[in-house]
Amino acid sequence: MTKQAAGGGFRVEHDSMGELRVPEQALWGAQTQRAVDNFPVSGLRMPRGFIRALGLIKATAAEVNVELGLLDDAIAQAIVAAALEVAGGKHDAQFPIDVFQTGSGTSTNMNANEVIAHLASRVVRDKVHPNDHVNLGQSSNDTIPTAIHVSAALAVREQLLPALKHLGKAIDKKAKSLKGVTKTGRTHLMDAMPVRFDQELGGWSQQIHNGIDRLKACGPRIRRLAQGGTAVGTGINAHPKFGVKFAKLLAKRTGIAFEPSPDYFESLSSQDAAVELSGALKTIAVSLTKISNDLRWMNSGPLAGLGEIALPALQPGSSIMPGKVNPVIPEAAVMVAAQVIGNDATITIAGQAGNFQLNVMLPVIAYNLLQSIELLANVSRLLADSAIAGFSVNEAQIKGALARNPILITALNSVIGYEKGAAIAKQAYKEGRPVLEVAKENTKLHVEELKELLDPAGLTTGGIKGPGGGGG
């Protein structure tokens, strides 16, 4: 119930705890205002994707309740229309509650209920109640876990999977263009046997494809919804068919194969599926760190570093050193990875907060999970388009390093033995001479035979070189 304030600027609303002033233009009611007043913690609000999921949940619940004969058709239609406006982002400013709030997310659930009831009441004249109508057959305890799963599933499908596929294609395209280019391999950051660029980039590509597979493997559990469990998992105050019909209708609305949880007690009391998904996101972050650091090392220099590649020059790299250009995109990527790994730690700790029938760190799980998905999606596209697609290879630098690489002598192990090979490698390194020259002086092998055995490109295919090994 609402009373207009005499002075303007605010109105007076009431809930079960009494009256409270609410800003005049706000669509929310007393429970939302109490949360705004109670939690001035961070200024961080629930993510857009989460509010979208709440809107979809409220619209779907209203449609199911009218189908079950529990809700007036006109009220249901008004709720659906208002909820879809919320889902579409039309009223995001009406969701002011801090992420760090009541652990069940009750404040945000009531925020949605009050905003939708306010909007719907404009159509049916104050007949729509946030609890009795918009929240019919629901509890914050099943709605917020459902919103976590729905928002995460949508974000993975719409943002992260397309971005990772785009990155994988960019790596594969670059690898194909560099298939004939051989470079010095490095283990322990030290010179090692030669590899081809397409082999090195192929490793990156496989990491990305593995990340995609891990995300898909989480899908079946993320698609299981808590909706229908209501307060403690028993389904109190919800129609027995509500959960099944809800999941089926939401699946139709979103195109994602949502299904009711096989055990509502598990879905309310734990967030294991969110923790699992966060683990997959963390692994992708680790993969992006490896790729980004490889790019940074290969780009290092250009004179005093490896100087194997040149990343696209995007901006000046120093406020004091003219001409300096830094690998800014890989640097941004490793910072994103650090954030995602930190988010995973938060989600893991929050996942442990399932006491008896309810996890009580739901909002912070939602916030960090969706942030990780968004950050990884955005930076994956940046890596693809602004780093990998445009880097050039310094072939002169690569060939010079290959020629002087004493580790090439490894190819002669089966011909001259390890100890003699080690002596040749040490001499070549000490004298700064090509290993082929030193091997010519210290073995009975002919020059042409040495050239064949020590050809860097030929050494990228593996196998035994020398008599009986197919290498000469």
Side-chain angles (χ1 to χ4, degrees):
M1 186 173 181
T2 303
K3 294 182 181 179
Q4 297 297 326
F10 68 90
R11 66 182 192 273
V12 176
E13 296 241 356
H14 85 274
D15 59 13
S16 60
M17 296 184 71
E19 293 186 340
L20 196 68
R21 297 198 312 173
V22 175
E24 181 65 41
Q25 300 304 316
L27 298 181
W28 65 77
Q31 292 199 47
T32 300
Q33 189 61 47
R34 291 189 193 280
V36 171
D37 296 341
N38 286 338
F39 306 114
V41 180
S42 68
L44 300 174
R45 298 184 180 186
M46 297 302 289
R48 159 96 281 273
F50 189 83
I51 303 305
R52 174 194 181 191
L54 273 180
L56 293 173
I57 288 166
K58 299 301 176 180
T60 303
E63 290 178 335
V64 170
N65 281 322
V66 76
E67 180 184 336
L68 293 171
L70 302 176
L71 190 61
D72 176 79
D73 185 63
I75 291 177
Q77 289 183 26
I79 291 173
V80 170
L84 292 180
E85 285 187 359
V86 167
K90 188 174 180 180
H91 305 289
D92 283 356
Q94 300 296 322
F95 289 83
I97 300 173
D98 203 279
V99 167
F100 300 98
Q101 53 168 286
T102 174
S104 62
T106 296
S107 298
T108 292
N109 183 43
M110 284 308 304
N111 189 177
N113 291 333
E114 289 177 343
V115 168
I116 292 168
H118 192 117
L119 291 168
S121 294
R122 293 175 175 176
V123 178
V124 291
R125 296 186 180 182
D126 293 334
K127 290 182 180 179
V128 181
H129 192 280
N131 298 84
D132 297 338
H133 298 137
V134 183
N135 200 58
L136 179 61
Q138 306 148 65
S139 164
S140 301
N141 298 353
D142 61 351
T143 296
I144 299 301
T146 295
I148 291 174
H149 282 216
V150 172
S151 59
L154 287 168
V156 167
R157 182 188 70 177
E158 297 172 358
Q159 299 176 47
L160 186 51
L161 283 176
L164 290 175
K165 290 175 183 177
H166 179 71
L167 175 57
K169 288 179 181 178
I171 295 171
D172 291 339
K173 183 177 180 180
K174 195 68 175 181
K176 185 177 180 180
S177 73
L178 298 174
K179 187 172 184 179
V181 182
T182 303
K183 56 169 284 184
T184 299
R186 288 183 181 84
T187 56
H188 301 267
L189 295 180
M190 305 299 286
D191 298 343
M193 291 300 291
V195 297
R196 298 193 311 270
F197 262 95
D198 65 298
Q199 292 172 323
E200 190 163 53
L201 270 65
W204 300 353
S205 176
Q206 188 61 52
Q207 285 185 280
I208 299 305
H209 288 296
N210 289 345
I212 291 171
D213 290 343
R214 290 185 181 100
L215 287 176
K216 291 180 177 178
C218 296
R221 286 163 294 284
I222 285 293
R223 292 193 292 269
R224 294 172 182 169
L225 304 182
Q227 206 73 54
T230 66
V232 293
T234 60
I236 185 71
N237 286 351
H239 192 285
K241 296 182 179 179
F242 180 86
V244 173
K245 287 183 174 292
F246 175 90
K248 184 177 181 180
L249 185 55
L250 188 63
K252 183 178 180 181
R253 172 168 268 129
T254 60
I256 294 177
F258 292 117
E259 59 183 14
S261 171
D263 191 307
Y264 288 134
F265 298 100
E266 185 271 344
S267 294
L268 268 65
S269 64
S270 81
Q271 280 294 302
D272 291 353
V275 173
E276 178 189 14
L277 176 57
S278 180
L281 299 175
K282 178 185 70 174
T283 305
I284 292 167
V286 170
S287 297
L288 294 185
T289 300
K290 188 267 191 282
I291 294 167
S292 297
N293 282 335
D294 281 358
L295 287 167
R296 294 168 68 204
W297 274 106
M298 289 192 291
N299 180 76
S300 62
L303 300 179
L306 299 182
E308 291 181 345
I309 68 170
L311 290 166
L314 300 178
Q315 64 186 61
S318 173
S319 61
I320 192 172
M321 294 176 280
K324 192 172 189 292
V325 179
N326 297 330
V328 293
I329 299 301
E331 288 174 351
V334 296
M335 285 192 286
V336 162
Q339 183 69 45
V340 171
I341 292 167
N343 286 351
D344 178 67
T346 298
I347 292 167
T348 301
I349 294 168
Q352 299 172 9
N355 305 126
F356 298 109
Q357 281 72 56
L358 183 67
N359 181 287
V360 289
M361 291 196 187
L362 298 177
V364 80
I365 290 174
Y367 182 87
N368 283 277
L369 194 65
L370 293 179
Q371 184 189 66
S372 290
I373 293 169
E374 181 178 16
L375 289 175
L376 289 173
N378 291 342
V379 88
S380 293
R381 291 190 178 277
L382 276 179
L383 266 179
D385 298 338
S386 300
I388 290 169
F391 78 72
S392 58
V393 174
N394 185 347
E395 293 200 41
Q397 175 78 357
I398 289 170
K399 289 178 180 178
L402 273 174
R404 297 187 305 273
N405 184 2
I407 306 302
L408 293 177
I409 199 67
T410 304
L412 303 186
N413 278 359
S414 61
V415 180
I416 64 175
Y418 182 93
E419 290 192 12
K420 190 168 186 178
I424 292 171
K426 290 176 182 178
Q427 182 181 345
Y429 178 75
K430 181 179 179 180
E431 297 175 1
R433 297 166 59 198
V435 71
L436 188 147
E437 289 183 12
V438 180
K440 177 186 173 184
E441 296 171 359
N442 290 277
T443 70
K444 295 180 181 181
L445 297 171
H446 297 296
V447 173
E448 292 304 317
E449 189 175 5
L450 285 170
K451 286 182 178 179
E452 181 181 353
L453 290 171
L454 298 175
D455 173 47
L459 295 176
T460 64
T461 58
I464 298 175
K465 307 300 179 183

